Amino acid sequence: MAVRSEIDSQNIPAHVAVIMDGNGRWAKQKGGLRIFGHQSAITAVRETVEAAAEAGVRYLTLYAFSTENWSRPAHEVMALMQLLVHTIRQETPTLLKNGIRLQAIGQIENLPNSCQKELAEAIELTKDGSRTTLLLALSYSGRWDLTQAARRMAQEVAAGRLQPEQITEQTVASFLSTAGIPDPELLIRTSGEQRISNFLLWQLAYTELFITDLLWPDFRREHFYDALRAYQQRERRFGKTSEQLTVS
Ligand code: IPE
Ligand code: IPE
Ligand code: MG
């Protein structure tokens, strides 16, 4: 496992996104219920947020609940929503203390009122945090994000405020829920699944992927450093040749 001193502080990704997966399997291995896995995942969240902030990562996006996760058994969905309220309430003082600003992306209006309220309060309380922005993806999916962007762009065109021929990649990016935030340079997924699961489809176009077999409740700051170190060993070519990169 990597230690912090092995990380090059001059090459820290500005934005790291995480698909926090494997809570159910972790609980099953321990002979517990799936919700026990979700409850046991809070330490991993806390350590990841702290490690990211300490390393100088400006934006950390955590995929906490997808649009598709609404199809899970109702009792699991309800337990996840309660855990969300509880965790936000419990962790907000630490976020404040550490200069971390909380924000959320996704169909927040679909969350139970108690969650929306807790989230809005925490977002307001932490709004001046300037060290790292923690973006929680809740009731989020990449296709939803692109669809809402297309709908809002169409509304602007219909109102005569936007000309179709003026629409560029920058325009599309500015209508996404991540407007103003750089695309993630690094995506971490736990539990070994090699898929995107409808996460940030547009934003991940050139993101480096780091997939680990660890189950999310076992993820600790050292594993975050492992991911940063792996990222620092990648050659990001963006379609160019390796030789072009060394010349420029
Ligand atoms: C990730 O763990 C948490 C959420 C998707 C909310 P899972 O609950 O998907 O755990 P596995 O993948 O079934 O092990
Ligand atoms: C992805 O995990 C969503 C979150 C981590 C919130 P899933 O467990 O829902 O993904 P799939 O269904 O295995 O692709
Ligand atoms: Mg899963």
Side-chain angles (χ1 to χ4, degrees), residues 19-21 25 63-66 69 72 189 193 195 197:
I19 302 179
M20 312 184 286
D21 197 16
R25 278 163 281 176
Y63 203 8
F65 193 84
S66 73
N69 289 150
R72 292 192 178 193
R189 183 169 189 151
E193 305 296 354
R195 54 178 173 259
S197 299

Side-chain angles (χ1 to χ4, degrees), residues 1-247:
M1 280 194 297
V3 291
R4 204 174 148 197
S5 57
E6 292 174 76
I7 310 299
D8 174 4
S9 60
Q10 300 304 308
N11 185 18
I12 300 295
H15 185 175
V16 178
V18 187
I19 302 179
M20 312 184 286
D21 197 16
N23 300 352
R25 278 163 281 176
W26 186 91
K28 198 171 176 185
Q29 283 178 5
K30 301 254 179 307
L33 297 172
R34 293 180 58 82
I35 187 64
F36 172 56
H38 299 314
Q39 288 162 345
S40 306
I42 306 307
T43 308
V45 174
R46 194 181 297 131
E47 290 220 3
T48 302
V49 173
E50 287 179 11
E54 284 166 17
V57 171
R58 302 302 311 278
Y59 298 93
L60 176 71
T61 301
L62 300 181
Y63 203 8
F65 193 84
S66 73
T67 305
E68 287 74 21
N69 289 150
W70 288 113
S71 310
R72 292 192 178 193
H75 62 87
E76 181 172 344
V77 171
M78 205 165 61
L80 277 167
M81 294 300 150
Q82 283 168 355
L83 184 63
L84 183 65
V85 172
H86 174 78
T87 308
I88 295 172
R89 191 171 300 159
Q90 183 181 283
E91 300 297 324
T92 300
T94 313
L95 296 181
L96 258 175
K97 188 173 76 160
N98 291 340
I100 295 164
R101 175 172 67 153
L102 183 70
Q103 291 194 338
I105 54 171
Q107 286 176 288
I108 304 305
E109 66 280 7
N110 289 354
L111 299 176
N113 285 336
S114 56
C115 284
Q116 292 188 44
K117 191 167 161 279
E118 204 65 42
L119 199 55
E121 281 173 17
I123 289 171
E124 174 60 27
L125 269 170
T126 60
K127 69 175 191 306
D128 296 326
S130 57
R131 193 155 158 234
T132 296
T133 297
L134 170 60
L135 213 54
L136 280 187
L138 290 167
S139 189
Y140 180 88
S141 70
R143 287 187 175 179
W144 161 78
D145 205 355
L146 284 162
T147 305
Q148 68 78 26
R151 189 182 309 121
R152 289 196 296 121
M153 278 190 288
Q155 285 164 350
E156 290 302 295
V157 169
R161 291 190 291 263
L162 180 66
Q163 302 308 312
E165 54 279 4
Q166 287 174 345
I167 298 175
T168 62
E169 290 190 7
Q170 283 69 32
T171 318
V172 176
S174 74
F175 279 86
L176 292 172
S177 60
T178 49
I181 297 173
D183 289 340
E185 293 97 327
L186 172 65
L187 171 75
I188 300 172
R189 183 169 189 151
T190 55
S191 90
E193 305 296 354
Q194 306 199 17
R195 54 178 173 259
I196 301 296
S197 299
N198 210 353
F199 198 20
L200 305 157
L201 297 178
W202 170 281
Q203 297 88 337
L204 294 175
Y206 252 109
T207 302
E208 296 296 328
L209 309 182
F210 179 84
I211 295 171
T212 166
D213 285 336
L214 275 172
L215 301 174
W216 177 250
D218 288 329
F219 196 84
R220 291 293 176 271
R221 59 175 60 237
E222 294 76 22
H223 304 119
F224 188 79
Y225 298 145
D226 283 342
L228 287 184
R229 200 174 51 166
Y231 165 80
Q232 293 182 339
Q233 286 159 0
R234 304 278 174 93
E235 182 178 65
R236 306 193 74 206
R237 290 192 288 277
F238 298 100
K240 294 182 181 171
T241 67
S242 196
E243 291 70 26
Q244 281 177 298
L245 297 179
T246 44
V247 170

